[in-house]
Structure formats: structure tokens, C-alpha cells
Amino acid sequence: EKVLLGPERKTRVISDLDKKITAYHEAGHAVVGHYLKNSDPVRKVSIISRGQAGGYTLKMPTEDKHYHTLAQFKDELAMTLGGYVVEKLIFGDERISTGPYSDLRTATGVAHDMVTRYGMSSMGPRTFGEHHEMIFLGREITEQRDYSEKTAEEIDKAVAILLDEAVKRARETVLAHKEKLEELVKALMEKETVTRHPANAPTR
């Protein structure tokens, strides 16, 4: 957790409203991730700040993965947008916060890769753009277009379709388990951190 998110910021003073928003946001991630069968198991949920994060939801796979399937990507997108969906559902469009910014950026990046790199969209089985990476760092530094402006528009549409579908699935999951969402929010407001009980942990 320290490596991924930074040290805890227990001394940070936040308002009751911000604490409530964070609790609903993280509960949204956790509930969607828990009930979607292709998502990695949720292990821990917290509303204690770490680094730049107001709260966090940790998930871990039950085994090493060498490949990522379309079904897994779709569940990952829905879970990533679970916090955004719940904020809109509970607080309304006018009260949506800046909290989902990182989630929206992550989801957009995943959806874009699904379309342009993995052939997992209506655009068909091809890649778009030449990606040049630093071999030792595995870090993408440039992308050279090999497609037209019209194709770029189609890529944007395909990305939007994937994100809209993820929002819809996240919303359906949250509404189907609204009672569990409220239970988790209550627990987070009281305890700040909730961890999966070892007896409920998935086995290999």
C-alpha cells in the first residue's frame, strides 16, 4: 500500500461531507468489483488518505495472470467507474466531485488500449498507431498515427461505447446490491477501513 499509494495521511482533516463522499465512492468500487465474476477479489477498502488518494479499494488476483481477456477488461472498467457511478447516483449530477478524475483517466486509457491495441471492439482485429517503447523501462514514450482523422473519430466512438457500457453495468450492479452498498458505507464511516475476513478469502 505504501509503494502503490504512499504513506497514510491520518492527520489530514476532512469535512463530514467529504468523508461521506469518499465512503460512497470507495464502496461503489468495492461492491461492483465484488459482484462481477471476472473482477479480481476485493481485499481492502479504506477512506484513510494515502498520497494523493482520498481513499482506496485494493483488489488482488488469486493467481498470476499472463493474459487479460475481454470479459476481465469489461469488469475492470465497470469496477473502475463504480465510484463515479455511485457519486452520481447518491449525490446527483450537480454534486459530482473531482474524486473520480483518476478513475476516469484510467478507464479511458484501458478502453483506448482495448480498441487500438487489442482488437477488442467494433473496430475489428487490427491495431491503430505505432507505439514506441523504452525497452528496459517498458514505458511508452511516443505514438505515431497510421490512420486518418475519420478513423480517429471512429476510435473515439468505440472508446465511448465501451465506457458507456461499463457505466451501465456498474449502475445495474450497484442498484441490485444497494443494501450492501449502504452497509459498507456505514462500516467505513465508523471504522474507516474494512478488510476481507480470511474465512471469506478466495482460494487458489
Side-chain angles (χ1 to χ4, degrees):
E1 292 171 57
K2 286 183 179 179
V3 172
L4 290 174
L5 302 168
E8 287 187 2
R9 298 169 61 191
K10 290 187 175 182
T11 57
R12 181 186 178 194
V13 179
I14 62 173
S15 67
D16 289 340
L17 177 59
D18 283 352
K19 185 176 181 180
K20 186 176 182 180
I21 290 174
T22 302
Y24 271 106
H25 182 99
E26 298 305 331
H29 288 308
V31 168
V32 174
H34 178 74
Y35 285 103
L36 293 182
K37 65 179 181 179
N38 296 299
S39 178
D40 292 331
V42 176
R43 302 299 181 96
K44 189 174 184 178
V45 189
S46 179
I47 58 173
I48 296 176
S49 297
R50 275 187 180 274
Q52 298 301 312
Y56 56 96
T57 300
L58 292 180
K59 60 188 179 76
M60 291 178 61
T62 55
E63 58 187 6
D64 292 338
K65 292 181 180 179
H66 299 287
Y67 301 102
H68 218 77
T69 66
L70 175 60
Q72 289 170 337
F73 270 128
K74 287 187 172 183
D75 281 5
E76 181 180 321
L77 282 178
M79 180 182 177
T80 301
L81 294 173
Y84 169 79
V85 167
V86 168
E87 281 198 36
K88 290 192 69 173
L89 184 66
I90 299 299
F91 301 102
D93 290 344
E94 297 298 320
R95 298 292 294 276
I96 190 73
S97 76
T98 56
Y101 162 70
S102 179
D103 297 331
L104 297 177
R105 183 177 61 180
T106 297
T108 302
V110 170
H112 191 269
D113 282 347
M114 290 171 68
V115 174
T116 63
R117 307 184 83 170
Y118 308 131
M120 295 179 174
S121 76
S122 58
M123 295 295 290
R126 64 158 288 187
T127 61
F128 299 88
E130 291 292 329
H131 300 267
H132 302 283
E133 299 179 354
M134 296 176 68
I135 297 175
F136 296 106
L137 298 181
R139 179 177 152 197
E140 185 176 305
I141 53 175
T142 62
E143 179 183 20
Q144 181 180 347
R145 272 195 182 188
D146 59 359
Y147 50 85
S148 65
E149 286 298 327
K150 182 178 179 181
T151 300
E153 292 178 7
E154 293 300 317
I155 290 173
D156 287 343
K157 290 178 182 178
V159 169
I161 289 172
L162 288 171
L163 295 176
D164 289 345
E165 178 187 334
V167 167
K168 181 180 178 181
R169 294 183 67 229
R171 182 180 175 85
E172 289 174 348
T173 304
V174 167
L175 290 176
H177 303 283
K178 186 80 173 344
E179 183 178 335
K180 294 298 183 183
L181 176 78
E182 296 294 347
E183 287 180 14
L184 181 53
V185 169
K186 182 179 179 181
L188 287 170
M189 292 295 285
E190 293 175 354
K191 302 177 181 179
E192 296 190 322
T193 298
V194 177
T195 305
R196 178 191 287 270
H197 192 281
N200 297 324
T203 56
R204 289 181 178 270

